[in-house]
Amino acid sequence: MDAMTDPVRTIAERVRTRVLREGVDLAADDGAAARYAREEVRRYSERALAGAHAQLGDEQGTAREVVASITGYGPLQPYFDDPEVEEIWINAPTRVFIARDGVAELTTLVLSDREVRELVERMLQHSGRRVDLSSPFVDASLPDGSRLHVAIPDVARAHWAVNIRKFQRRIRSLAQLVELGSLPTRASEFLRMSVLAGANILVSGATHTGKTTMVNALMSAARTGERVVTVEETFELDLDVRDLVALQCRQPSLEGTGEITLRRLIKEALRMRPDRLIVGEVREAESLDLLIALNSGLPGMCTIHANSARDALAKLCTLPLLAGRNIDSSFVVPTVASCIDLVVHLAIDRDGMRRVVEIAAPTGGCTGASVDADQLFIVRGGALVPTGARPARLEKFRDAGLDPEMVLGEVHA
């Protein structure tokens, strides 16, 4: 696949000129871009018949490309339209990759540096965010919910590095994860009970293992009347919840003012009368504010990058120390041990299959600087199976009138 051809670029410029001259708002008139594109393609073909230039091979295809270049994302638009494509990334104008079902593919698409910059600028138009020499990184949400990350030189070596994680609506419930083979029925039912009981759940895994998707699926089991507040760096969560407030961070202005951090958002979220607090991901000192919120009795969930459930707990014990010298492990470790009820750990195999590979339950105790936890489900023989262990703390289940013994049940060797 080639970059935008000269006829497409020429026709697109003519359409833009007409739009500006006639003062048309393409956002308000969905059909205007397609109508102008068809008219300009027809005029281009008429001039070609007169010998002004070569004829178009596919007028309808050219019109679609023109519309994509004006209202969509140009040469990348087919990948946005393809529901099988999960992610798009650009390492260089000649190195454009996509991922289908977790497996990376190098495309035949060839762009120019100018086209990459123009695509990024178009993507950032709706976000109010910027990328320049003073701010060489940017995280933003696209209008369709996809997540954009960009790094530019001289932080990147020679070319703009662009990553787009497409917004996927395919998986919205635990039942769908069961159908896909990511989770067995018994584990799914146990997680459903845990959500209904108001358990504090930590979802862990490496990059692109499906942590956000898991939070979406878990929250599909929440009670209908719950008021949920979500806090994220950029909007990614798409919860099927009736009473929902979604908050995201804000970058500082050119003058260095107006920044809104994750720590600030967590504090503000607590003033919004939440029944459950969801933090998209904890990476730094905001983990302290999350722990304080959970320690007050507010149910919550968050995601964290980690190699195992035990590593996730260890990391959550370390991150709050970044909040300042007055915070030490003698406070953090027991708080994590008492606050976190479950850790759901995810992994992706070489074929791109995402699975739950471990469910662990902290006992509430700690040994030294480590949180004690029992593995409730582990992978054995290629399948996630119960270990026979039971959660040490059942108070939340009992208060909700639930009995996890019904699904943890008898374990067969």
Side-chain angles (χ1 to χ4, degrees), residues 73 80 119-120 122-124 126-127 140-148 164-165 235:
Y73 299 122
F80 278 91
L119 284 168
V120 170
R122 194 178 307 159
M123 291 175 189
L124 289 175
H126 297 279
S127 71
S141 294
L142 303 185
D144 68 350
S146 299
R147 180 173 177 176
L148 170 70
I164 303 151
R165 185 172 296 179
F235 292 129

Side-chain angles (χ1 to χ4, degrees), residues 82-99:
D82 187 343
E84 299 300 318
V85 174
E86 302 169 342
E87 198 161 356
I88 307 162
W89 63 97
I90 303 171
N91 296 344
T94 59
R95 308 290 287 182
V96 180
F97 292 81
I98 61 172

Side-chain angles (χ1 to χ4, degrees), residues 43-55:
R43 290 175 182 172
Y44 189 95
S45 295
E46 290 170 355
R47 286 191 290 271
L49 290 174
H53 42 244
Q55 292 187 359

